[in-house]
Amino acid sequence: AELEPHLRQYLEAQQREMNESQPWGPTQCERWLQSTVSLSLRALHQLAAVPNEVSSELQLQARALLAGAYGKLGHLYASTGRFTKAMTHAKQGIELFNATKDKLQAAKLQLWLCRLQ
């Protein structure tokens, strides 16, 4: 389907603006990752009420998104010199992933925490 000319112009302008904008700084990345963690947790909570045969793939995707964002957020804290926050984040993550029965992610955070200390 062909886009209307005014819509095409608007989308092209938005794309140019995005390409020309400054790269994200640590503060923007932190906010985005915190939002991703929050939304992933909310999605997992909501999916718990849906039959497993319908939600299993979505649960896997939400868990993967949560694990990725959680790990990146911890690394962001450490890379910006906030080691106490990074360690607290890792400890909370270990508890979170143990509670959600994600032993692999809990173990990864435990190893990372050992390297931080």
Side-chain angles (χ1 to χ4, degrees):
E2 188 67 25
L3 291 176
E4 293 188 29
H6 70 281
L7 181 56
R8 178 184 299 278
Q9 290 172 351
Y10 172 77
L11 292 174
E12 287 171 352
Q14 292 295 309
Q15 188 173 18
R16 274 192 307 277
E17 186 177 310
M18 284 178 54
N19 290 337
E20 294 169 1
S21 66
Q22 297 294 320
W24 281 22
T27 303
Q28 292 88 351
C29 286
E30 182 178 348
R31 286 188 199 132
W32 184 82
L33 290 167
Q34 287 171 339
S35 294
T36 303
V37 167
S38 177
L39 290 171
S40 300
L41 286 170
R42 201 171 304 152
L44 285 170
H45 177 74
Q46 295 297 323
L47 286 169
V50 178
N52 198 39
E53 58 272 3
V54 175
S55 68
S56 62
E57 181 62 30
L58 291 172
Q59 286 180 355
L60 288 174
Q61 291 174 9
R63 285 178 191 275
L65 186 61
L66 174 63
Y70 210 93
K72 288 176 185 173
L73 187 56
H75 287 284
L76 178 69
Y77 291 147
S79 70
T80 54
R82 296 179 286 172
F83 295 105
T84 302
K85 189 163 189 157
M87 286 191 283
T88 301
H89 180 77
K91 289 174 186 174
Q92 290 172 341
I94 292 165
E95 291 178 23
L96 168 70
F97 289 116
N98 278 329
T100 60
K101 311 268 190 286
D102 192 340
K103 302 296 182 193
L104 176 62
Q105 292 306 320
K108 284 181 179 180
L109 280 175
Q110 185 67 51
L111 288 171
W112 185 68
L113 178 62
C114 289
R115 281 186 239 134
L116 269 179
Q117 294 175 339

